[in-house]
């Protein structure tokens, strides 16, 4: 059944139904990604869906129907990005670049927000598996400024996925070195993280705060970034009232305590009541 639907993707009259049904059934068809990649004309048909709505991005005229249809195509691309057999091929074909125009939009309407979130889901699927090939590819593109834009202006869910992507880039040694290589890059990331912390004072989100703290903790592994964070770490992260939302999240409280120790706020770290003994050894910057 699913094999027939894959073939229907190249049949104009059957394509929309095939997109919808395959996006629903993708979890029950573990080999869907290889089928999509190796079936004649299928990837071209999915890319055609994406390119066809570019004219609707500016000026913003994307309808809910058009957004749903292209998001079904993006869900299938996420399968390809996730599968170990097709992930590298997906990168070599530079397919993520086709999604970047969607991340570059600023309209807050539901069709655009759904489109951005689904596009971020594809990139998130790529970075979920620790793979330096993925990080090297993404760093050769403008993914970091695109994620930073979403972290500033997106919905809570989009912000969370975009921050997760930046977090995964930072957790790779190449990614950390890249972001900390220049003051401009570090402060671009730091300014957005700080702005997000301020925003959480008005609209709390434990899930989002967890990713922000992990990003800060990883930045503090770099000697130059650690020194800068001594001056620019948001004061709210030392405020017990602000961090009280983490009382049931032992892992994130430990991350926060380690971050505070790393940047010299040992007393504030102790108040969190976690087992942190001293600053983590700095990660040396790659030349």
């Amino acid at each position: 059944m699913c094999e027939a639907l894959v073939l229907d993707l190249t049949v104009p009259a059957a394509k929309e139904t095939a997109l919808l049904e395959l996006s629903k059934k993708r979890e029950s068809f573990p080999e869907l990604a290889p089928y999509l990649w190796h079936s004649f004309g299928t990837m071209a048909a999915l890319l055609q869906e994406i390119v066809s709505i570019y004219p609707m991005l500016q000026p913003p005229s994307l309808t809910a129907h058009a957004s749903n249809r292209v998001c079904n195509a993006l869900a299938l691309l996420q399968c390809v990005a996730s599968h170990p057999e097709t992930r590298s091929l997906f990168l070599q074909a530079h397919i993520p670049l086709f999604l970047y125009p969607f991340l570059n939009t600023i309209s807050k309407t539901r069709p655009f927000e759904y489109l951005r979130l689904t596009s971020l889901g594809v990139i998130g699927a790529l970075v979920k598996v620790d793979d330096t090939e993925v990080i090297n590819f993404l760093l050769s593109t403008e993914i970091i400024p695109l994620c930073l834009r979403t972290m500033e202006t997106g919905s809570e869910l989009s912000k969370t996925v975009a921050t997760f992507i930046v977090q995964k880039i930072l957790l790779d040694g190449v990614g950390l070195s890249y972001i900390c290589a220049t003051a401009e890059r570090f402060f671009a990331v730091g300014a957005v993280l700080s702005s997000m912390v301020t925003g959480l004072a008005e609209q709390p989100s434990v899930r989002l705060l967890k990713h922000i703290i992990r990003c800060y903790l990883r930045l503090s592994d770099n000697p130059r970034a650690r020194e800068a964070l001594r001056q620019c770490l948001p004061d709210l992260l030392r405020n017990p009232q602000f961090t009280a939302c983490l009382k049931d999240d032992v892992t994130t409280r430990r991350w926060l305590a380690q971050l505070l120790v790393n940047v010299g706020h040992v007393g504030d770290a102790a108040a969190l009541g976690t087992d942190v003994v001293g600053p983590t050894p700095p990660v040396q910057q790659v030349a």
Side-chain angles (χ1 to χ4, degrees):
M1 176 61 178
C2 286
E3 291 88 341
L5 288 171
V6 170
L7 296 178
D8 281 347
L9 291 173
T10 60
V11 180
K15 188 176 186 181
E16 185 167 3
T17 300
L19 285 168
L20 178 60
E21 292 302 315
L22 282 171
S23 67
K24 288 179 181 176
K25 297 176 179 178
R26 64 189 189 276
E27 300 295 335
S28 60
F29 187 16
E31 293 307 303
L32 176 57
Y35 266 95
L36 290 170
W37 188 267
H38 296 294
S39 296
F40 179 77
T42 302
M43 293 304 297
L46 293 177
L47 293 178
Q48 185 181 46
E49 283 294 310
I50 289 169
V51 173
S52 70
I53 68 162
Y54 284 174
M56 303 180 194
L57 302 181
Q58 191 61 41
S61 57
L62 184 65
T63 63
H65 176 263
S67 177
N68 288 337
R69 177 165 170 158
V70 75
C71 284
N72 288 335
L74 290 169
L76 299 184
L77 289 185
Q78 184 169 334
C79 287
V80 179
S82 302
H83 198 282
E85 184 181 322
T86 52
R87 183 188 304 112
S88 184
L89 298 169
F90 188 81
L91 290 177
Q92 290 170 26
H94 289 198
I95 290 176
L97 299 181
F98 285 89
L99 280 53
Y100 286 11
F102 303 155
L103 300 180
N104 208 26
T105 59
I106 57 175
S107 172
K108 294 184 180 294
T109 63
R110 186 180 295 272
F112 277 95
E113 179 57 32
Y114 185 34
L115 182 61
R116 279 191 297 271
L117 182 59
T118 312
S119 300
L120 287 167
V122 179
I123 308 300
L126 282 173
V127 300
K128 194 169 286 187
V129 177
D130 295 330
D131 185 342
T132 298
E133 179 190 10
V134 171
I135 303 302
N136 281 327
F137 172 82
L138 293 175
L139 292 177
S140 73
T141 72
E142 66 267 34
I143 191 61
I144 290 177
L146 289 173
C147 282
L148 293 179
R149 168 178 283 194
T150 302
M151 288 158 66
E152 284 186 295
T153 64
S155 66
E156 180 196 336
L157 193 50
S158 289
K159 286 180 177 180
T160 302
V161 180
T163 309
F164 169 75
I165 292 168
V166 172
Q167 172 188 317
K168 293 295 285 186
I169 290 172
L170 281 168
L171 287 174
D172 187 277
V174 172
L176 178 65
S177 295
Y178 177 88
I179 288 176
C180 296
T182 69
E184 183 181 19
R185 290 177 193 163
F186 168 80
F187 284 111
V189 173
V192 172
L193 290 174
S194 178
S195 174
M196 292 171 75
V197 170
T198 302
L200 289 178
E202 299 175 7
Q203 294 182 305
S205 167
V206 175
R207 178 172 53 179
L208 183 52
L209 180 59
K210 179 173 186 170
H211 292 301
I212 292 170
I213 289 172
R214 190 66 186 93
C215 286
Y216 271 127
L217 176 58
R218 179 56 171 163
L219 284 169
S220 75
D221 286 339
N222 179 278
R224 291 169 62 193
R226 178 179 297 194
E227 287 305 311
L229 287 173
R230 294 184 194 277
Q231 308 300 322
C232 66
L233 190 71
D235 289 340
L236 279 171
L237 293 180
R238 300 162 56 193
N239 184 330
Q241 289 181 310
F242 178 76
T243 59
C245 62
L246 300 174
K247 65 181 184 300
D248 297 322
D249 190 336
V250 176
T251 299
T252 305
R253 282 196 296 119
R254 186 174 291 122
W255 287 345
L256 177 57
Q258 187 67 66
L259 167 64
L260 294 174
V261 168
N262 287 356
V263 299
H265 301 303
V266 179
D268 295 308
L272 290 166
T274 60
D275 303 325
V276 179
V277 290
T280 55
V283 173
Q284 296 304 315
Q285 189 158 339
V286 178

